[in-house]
Amino acid sequence: MCKYLLIACLFIFSCTQKETKSSETNSLNVKDYFNYGDTGVLSAGVKMIPVKTDKGTFKVWTKRFGNNPRIKILLLHGGPATTHEYMECFESFFPQEGFEFYEYDQLGSYYSDQPDDTSLWTLDRFVEEVDQVRNAIHADSSNFYLLGNSWGGLLAMQYSLKYQNHMKGLIVADMMASCPDYGRYANDVLSKQMDPAVLKQIRDIEAKGDYSNPKYMELLLPNFYNQHLCRLPIWPEAINRTFKHMNSKIYTMMQGPSEFGVGGSLANWDITNRLKEIAVPTLMIGAKFDTMDPDAMEAQSKAVKHGRYLYCPNGSHMCMWDDQQIFMSGVIKFIKDVDESNF
């Protein structure tokens, strides 16, 4: 009898502890949530963080939302060299949960310094940049979550292979672990969904290397981007700003001329066989209409040591917009589960 009573007491204590942790996250009042301890002239959470490189020290733009020492989320935008702007949608969801999170323009992007030295645009250097930003926001293995979309997901996976000892959780949205596989999926699956006449025009332009031809994007936008990048009939203003501010020089150098496959310096990037090394809790997110194979995203969730898969049946590459409720609820649940040791 005493044995069963002890077990019951331990169970109740465990549940109480979890409920206490959860309630602590959501119980911050507005004043505490937005108290960053700043003095002097306040800047709405915006800070330019210095980043040291072999070519000198530069500054990157960040914006902080919230105050939560247990949950600090750094958002990694896609591209390379788009902007944080299309990730502003997280502002409608994360504050309600009491999460502390950071929007961030990587070096070379619109709101950050844009040095001309092309030797800076390497994956390894970006990994070191992310770790310097992590250190600047005082995040560590007790509270640091990386959430990357597209190139940001690639960067997050590569970062975790070197610095997962600094992480609490990893969220990879819409990025396969192999660029060659991504290219094959675009060529073997997605291209075959296009009107053959349109595809021929696109391939003819690519064969000539005439990527600055306005016709190229005129063809890609309705026939590929509106189908696989964002499926909303009217693109949100934040997405339009992102494309308006994209650094096309860096983007083309690393990604290639478009989202229709990959042809830049990242073309041979492949960590498929290293996913098993990622031990932090990981959420992989795929979408039915994505530029990335959703089956591959699910397989990645099983290849890491502690993975979960979130599928967005109505979403594309920006499923945080076009399948928003499923995307956000799944991400929030993952973060809460990891924070409450329920993962």
Side-chain angles (χ1 to χ4, degrees), residues 53-242:
T53 76
D54 292 339
K55 304 299 180 179
T57 299
F58 305 98
K59 291 183 178 180
V60 296
W61 182 98
T62 64
K63 182 168 184 174
R64 175 181 178 175
F65 294 84
N67 176 24
N68 187 335
R70 287 213 329 272
I71 298 174
K72 295 174 180 279
I73 306 160
L74 183 63
L75 303 178
L76 299 182
H77 62 70
T82 64
T83 73
H84 74 280
E85 290 162 301
Y86 79 94
M87 303 189 91
E88 289 171 355
C89 55
F90 289 93
E91 297 174 26
S92 296
F93 295 88
F94 281 2
Q96 298 176 40
E97 307 300 330
F99 297 166
E100 180 178 325
F101 68 103
Y102 294 79
E103 295 171 349
Y104 154 45
D105 261 27
Q106 298 149 28
L107 188 64
S109 293
Y110 186 77
Y111 292 89
S112 294
D113 286 350
Q114 300 176 37
D116 291 328
D117 194 324
T118 58
S119 68
L120 291 166
W121 315 128
T122 67
L123 179 56
D124 288 343
R125 194 213 57 78
F126 275 107
V127 166
E128 297 309 314
E129 174 185 322
V130 170
D131 199 54
Q132 291 184 57
V133 173
R134 174 203 61 81
N135 188 60
I137 66 174
H138 308 293
D140 56 34
S141 60
S142 70
N143 56 21
F144 183 47
Y145 297 78
L146 264 184
L147 192 164
N149 166 252
S150 190
W151 145 258
L154 185 160
L155 179 56
M157 286 187 277
Q158 192 70 38
Y159 177 90
S160 70
L161 288 173
K162 184 172 184 179
Y163 289 119
Q164 63 182 308
N165 60 310
H166 294 164
M167 299 172 66
K168 179 87 169 182
L170 169 66
I171 302 167
V172 177
D174 315 282
M175 186 64 223
M176 294 164 65
S178 166
C179 283
D181 287 350
Y182 158 34
R184 280 188 287 271
Y185 185 68
N187 187 63
D188 297 345
V189 178
L190 299 183
S191 68
K192 290 178 170 56
Q193 298 173 15
M194 277 190 189
D195 180 327
V198 171
L199 179 62
K200 183 180 185 306
Q201 293 182 71
I202 292 172
R203 293 307 192 200
D204 287 346
I205 292 173
E206 291 177 339
K208 296 174 184 176
D210 189 17
Y211 300 113
S212 61
N213 187 334
K215 188 68 176 175
Y216 188 56
M217 274 300 160
E218 287 176 17
L219 291 167
L220 282 176
L221 190 60
N223 295 288
F224 190 77
Y225 281 41
N226 288 350
Q227 303 301 316
H228 302 293
L229 209 69
C230 180
R231 293 172 63 83
L232 295 177
I234 299 176
W235 279 13
E237 186 265 346
I239 294 179
N240 291 328
R241 270 188 285 122
T242 284

Side-chain angles (χ1 to χ4, degrees), residues 176-177 181 275 284 292-301 309:
M176 294 164 65
D181 287 350
L275 288 172
M284 296 284 181
M292 304 290 163
D293 182 359
D295 291 339
M297 297 302 304
E298 183 175 17
Q300 288 169 202
S301 72
Y309 180 55

